[in-house]
Amino acid sequence: EVLTEGPEMAFCTLGDREDLNPEEGSICQCLYQFTRNEKLTESNKLLCDVCTERHYGPKKNIKSEKYIYNNAKKQMLISLAPPVLTLHLKRFQQAGFNLRKVNRHIKFPEVIDLAPFCTVKCKNVAEGSTKVLYSLYGVVEHSGTMRSGHYTAYAKMRSMNNHLSDLVLRGQFPQAVANEPVKGQWFHISDSHVQAVSAAKVLNSQAYLLFYERLL
């Protein structure tokens, strides 16, 4: 969805981004880099229809070589805060003509705030709110190589999240709730084998997919 905003609001975020100092090798750093402000210059300049028409007249009378391109800024931000947040980590990289699996550990929290990565007019966020909190409830992990391997999962057994139900079923904005993860017991699932594990073991896993549920 393309939104047209005034220059003062176009690059404003719901949460403060200035003081954000994400830890290296963390999911927050990934989100920060993905939503960073980019400058479009030289061969990446943006075609300006308004400038072109102002200089040459109606677009239908203009030859393509006369189009006017300007330097611009681009930033990708979240415009709709989802009830369930799914983060997919790219676990491969190009090495010549081959693909190689990335086994680096990426740190991820039990509670994450998406506000610094959301547009200031983000939908599904109560007016005046400066936090968009999510609690971790599931992780998919892959072991092995690009050619073969095994998928396992971590899932948290917890009580029903009424705030999430109200958002999904009734479209009601979540009100103030504790800034803590939803309480529950984590389990590791590998085929037919299920074992209770600690939250620390989950946070040390080689995450491939992360599943968060909306808190606030």
Side-chain angles (χ1 to χ4, degrees):
E1 181 180 2
V2 178
L3 301 179
T4 302
E5 300 283 358
E8 315 83 27
M9 301 294 292
F11 301 98
C12 291
T13 52
L14 194 62
D16 188 8
R17 215 176 149 89
E18 297 298 323
D19 297 329
L20 191 64
N21 187 24
E23 186 177 0
E24 186 177 355
S26 68
I27 198 71
C28 288
Q29 184 191 37
C30 295
L31 289 169
Y32 186 83
Q33 291 180 345
F34 186 76
T35 59
R36 72 185 186 279
N37 195 311
E38 299 178 60
K39 293 182 179 179
L40 305 179
T41 61
E42 297 180 354
S43 60
N44 289 324
K45 285 184 178 180
L46 193 69
L47 169 63
C48 180
D49 289 330
V50 175
C51 302
T52 301
E53 290 191 17
R54 185 184 298 150
H55 193 274
Y56 293 109
K59 190 174 181 180
K60 61 182 180 180
N61 299 328
I62 304 171
K63 295 182 179 181
S64 60
E65 61 267 18
K66 290 187 177 182
Y67 288 160
I68 295 178
Y69 293 82
N70 288 335
N71 292 334
K73 291 192 297 183
K74 181 187 78 171
Q75 187 174 25
M76 296 181 67
L77 295 172
I78 299 169
S79 64
L80 175 65
V84 173
L85 173 68
T86 304
L87 299 177
H88 182 187
L89 279 69
K90 182 181 175 183
R91 282 289 181 187
F92 65 90
Q93 67 182 78
Q94 190 81 28
F97 293 100
N98 299 316
L99 290 176
R100 183 171 60 192
K101 185 184 175 187
V102 177
N103 290 311
R104 181 183 181 184
H105 175 67
I106 300 298
K107 300 174 184 176
F108 53 93
E110 283 196 82
V111 173
I112 190 170
D113 184 8
L114 280 193
F117 316 114
C118 293
T119 174
V120 71
K121 293 184 178 181
C122 187
K123 303 169 187 175
N124 281 8
V125 176
E127 186 176 354
S129 177
T130 56
K131 288 185 178 294
V132 184
L133 300 180
Y134 287 82
S135 178
L136 183 71
Y137 74 90
V139 179
V140 172
E141 183 179 41
H142 178 268
S143 58
T145 66
M146 291 293 296
R147 293 182 178 274
S148 64
H150 182 57
Y151 289 97
T152 59
Y154 294 92
K156 179 186 278 189
M157 187 174 72
R158 67 232 185 272
S159 57
M160 182 176 177
N161 184 338
N162 293 322
H163 299 285
L164 185 63
S165 299
D166 290 341
L167 180 60
V168 173
L169 300 177
R170 303 179 184 85
Q172 296 177 356
F173 297 132
Q175 300 303 314
V177 292
N179 298 352
E180 298 177 356
V182 176
K183 294 182 179 179
Q185 174 62 57
W186 281 100
F187 288 90
H188 183 225
I189 302 101
S190 177
D191 293 335
S192 60
H193 181 71
V194 179
Q195 180 184 15
V197 295
S198 65
K201 183 173 177 60
V202 176
L203 297 178
N204 283 325
S205 64
Q206 294 279 12
Y208 177 59
L209 290 169
L210 296 168
F211 299 91
Y212 287 88
E213 58 185 331
R214 180 86 174 270
L215 284 179
L216 176 65

